[in-house]
Amino acid sequence: MNTSAPPWTSLARYVAAAALARMADGGAVVAIVLLVTLHGDGGSLAGLLGACLTAPHMLGPFVARRIDLADDGRKVIATACVLYAIALAVAVASYGQIPVVLTALLLATAGLCGPLLTGGISTRLPAIAGREQRTLRRAQGWDIATYGIGNTLGASTVAAVSAWTSPTYAGLSLAFATLLAAGLVMLLPYSAPEHGGNPQAVPGAWRTIGVIVQDGRLRRTLYMTCLVAFSMAALPITAVQMTRMLGIPLASAAAMTAAYGIGNLTGSVGLMLRPLRGSPDKLMTMLALGAACGLFAIMMSPDWMVAVGLFWLSGTVNAFFFAATLAARTEYAPPMARGQIFLWVAAMKITSSSAGTAVAGMLIGQDARLPLIAGMVLMTTAVLLSTLERGLSRQAA
C-alpha cells in the first residue's frame, strides 16, 4: 500500500472511495424496493425490507468505536465495505428463494455497516489533508460533494441497470461498487491511532455521549444538525404542494427538488474553491439562520421561477451548513473519540431527517405552509439557543 502518495492523489482516491460507498448506501434502498415490487410482493414488504437497511444506522455510533480502537482505522472501514457488499449481494441474489426473515437479516447486516460507509469514511480526511485548517476545510468541500454525487449516481445506476436487466443486477452492481470502495480505502494514507497504544483510553459509547453533552460546542453541533436536518427534510414534500398553490404542473416539483440538489453541489464546489473561515460554532448559527430565512422566502415566493431559484439557494446554504458541522466535529471532538462523535451526529441527522419527512407529510395535508413554518420556528429556536449558550459561556469564563 502506498502511504507516501502526494496529497492530491490521496484526495482523489478518497473522493472515489467515498462516492462509491455512498452510492451503494444511497441506492440500495431503491434497488430493494424495485426488486420486491417487481416480484409482486407488495409495498408493505418493500418498505419493511427497505427499513432493514436504513434503521440500523442508528446503531452506527456503537459500531464506530472500532475505528477509534483500531491500530489501522482503514481496515475497519474496508472490512465494513466488504461485509456490506457480501450481505447485499446475497440478499438480492437469493430473494424469493430463501425465507423473507433471512433476507431481512442480511439487509440489516448491510445496514449496520452503512454508517461506516458514510460518516466513518470522513474520519480519514485529517490523514489526507493534514491539520492545517484551510486545507482540511477544502477537503471537506470535496467530502460534501461525494454525498451528492453518491446519492445521484446510486439512484441513477439502479434505474439504468434495472431498466436494462433487472433490480437484482442493480443490487449486485452496488455491491461491486462497495468492493471497489474497500480497495480504495486501503490505498489511503495510514495514520497512527489517537489512543497512542492505550485502547483503554478510548471512551465507550455512553461516555462519548457524556462528552457531547458536556462540551457546549459539540452539544450545539448535535442539536443544530438535528433541527436543521428535520426542517430541511420538508422541502421535497413542500415542492409537490407548491405546484398546487402556484397553479403549475405537478412535474414542476421535480425541477424544484432538482434545484435543491444542484444547490448542494454548487455549495460544495464553492467550498472547494473558498473554504469556510472562522469558528464552526458561530458559522453553524449564522447558516442555520440563513436556512430559516430561505424557508421563509420559499413560502412567500410568488411564482415558479422564483421558487426554483430559492430551492437552489437553500441547497447551497445547506451545503455550507453541512461543511460547518463537519468542521465542528473534526475540530472540537477529542481525538480518541472522533470516530464515535462523527457517527453519533451522523446517525442523529439521518433520524431527524426521516422524522422531518414524516411530520411534513402529516402537516402538509392541513396547510402546505405548515412544514415550512415549523422548520423556521425550529431553526430560529436553535439559533437563539446557541447564541444564548455562547453568551452564558463567555460570562462564566
Side-chain angles (χ1 to χ4, degrees):
M1 291 175 291
N2 181 14
T3 60
S4 59
W8 64 267
T9 303
S10 297
L11 183 60
R13 290 172 181 165
Y14 175 86
V15 169
L20 286 169
R22 288 160 182 167
M23 177 182 90
D25 191 62
V29 173
V30 181
I32 291 299
V33 170
L34 282 175
L35 177 64
V36 176
T37 303
L38 292 179
H39 204 268
D41 289 334
S44 57
L45 181 59
L48 177 63
L49 292 180
C52 287
L53 269 170
T54 56
H57 278 72
M58 273 300 295
L59 299 175
F62 297 94
V63 178
R65 190 166 186 257
R66 296 302 312 165
I67 296 178
D68 293 326
L69 284 171
D71 291 331
D72 188 348
R74 297 173 304 175
K75 293 181 179 178
V76 177
I77 298 168
T79 300
C81 289
V82 171
L83 185 57
Y84 186 99
I86 293 171
L88 179 62
V90 173
V92 298
S94 63
Y95 184 75
Q97 303 171 44
I98 62 173
V100 172
V101 173
L102 292 181
T103 301
L105 287 174
L106 285 166
L107 293 176
T109 300
L112 195 59
C113 299
L116 296 177
L117 274 64
T118 53
I121 285 185
S122 295
T123 62
R124 306 311 305 165
L125 271 181
I128 297 168
R131 304 291 179 178
E132 200 274 319
Q133 186 184 88
R134 184 174 176 80
T135 305
L136 183 55
R137 291 189 181 181
R138 177 174 282 115
Q140 286 165 348
W142 283 99
D143 197 30
I144 293 165
T146 64
Y147 279 94
I149 293 168
N151 288 332
T152 303
L153 282 178
S156 302
T157 299
V158 169
V161 177
S162 296
W164 182 42
T165 54
S166 72
T168 299
Y169 284 102
L172 292 175
S173 68
L174 295 180
F176 180 68
T178 318
L179 287 177
L180 290 178
L184 288 168
V185 165
M186 290 307 299
L187 291 174
L188 298 178
Y190 168 79
S191 62
E194 297 286 354
H195 58 63
N198 180 24
Q200 288 76 22
V202 176
W206 298 112
R207 214 171 109 207
T208 302
I209 294 175
V211 171
I212 296 173
V213 171
Q214 292 166 19
D215 187 313
R217 300 169 303 176
L218 290 174
R219 183 173 62 249
R220 289 188 285 276
T221 300
L222 179 60
Y223 70 68
M224 293 192 76
T225 298
C226 291
L227 291 176
V228 171
F230 182 96
S231 303
M232 301 302 277
L235 285 178
I237 294 175
T238 302
V240 175
Q241 290 299 104
M242 284 188 68
T243 59
R244 300 174 186 172
M245 293 171 54
L246 297 173
I248 55 178
L250 187 61
S252 301
M256 287 185 265
T257 305
Y260 179 76
I262 294 169
N264 269 284
L265 287 174
T266 304
S268 63
V269 171
L271 290 163
M272 295 172 207
L273 299 174
R274 187 178 178 82
L276 292 175
R277 297 180 181 180
S279 159
D281 194 9
K282 293 180 181 178
L283 284 169
M284 285 187 293
T285 301
M286 290 188 293
L287 291 166
L289 180 60
C293 292
L295 294 190
F296 177 76
I298 287 171
M299 186 175 69
M300 302 301 292
S301 58
D303 58 51
W304 175 66
M305 291 301 293
V306 172
V308 169
L310 291 171
F311 268 77
W312 171 82
L313 187 60
S314 291
T316 303
V317 172
N318 191 56
F320 291 163
F321 178 82
F322 186 23
T325 68
L326 284 178
R329 282 181 258 176
T330 302
E331 295 173 26
Y332 300 150
M336 286 183 288
R338 184 172 291 125
Q340 295 178 80
I341 288 173
F342 251 93
L343 267 72
W344 269 118
V345 177
M348 294 307 296
K349 177 183 178 181
I350 291 170
T351 304
S352 300
S353 184
S354 299
T357 301
V359 171
M362 291 186 288
L363 294 176
I364 207 84
Q366 302 173 47
D367 190 317
R369 294 166 296 185
L370 281 180
L372 297 179
I373 293 171
M376 286 187 286
V377 169
L378 288 174
M379 287 193 285
T380 303
T381 301
V383 168
L384 294 174
L385 184 58
S386 63
T387 303
L388 178 62
E389 270 200 52
R390 274 198 306 276
L392 293 174
S393 297
R394 283 194 297 269
Q395 288 180 12

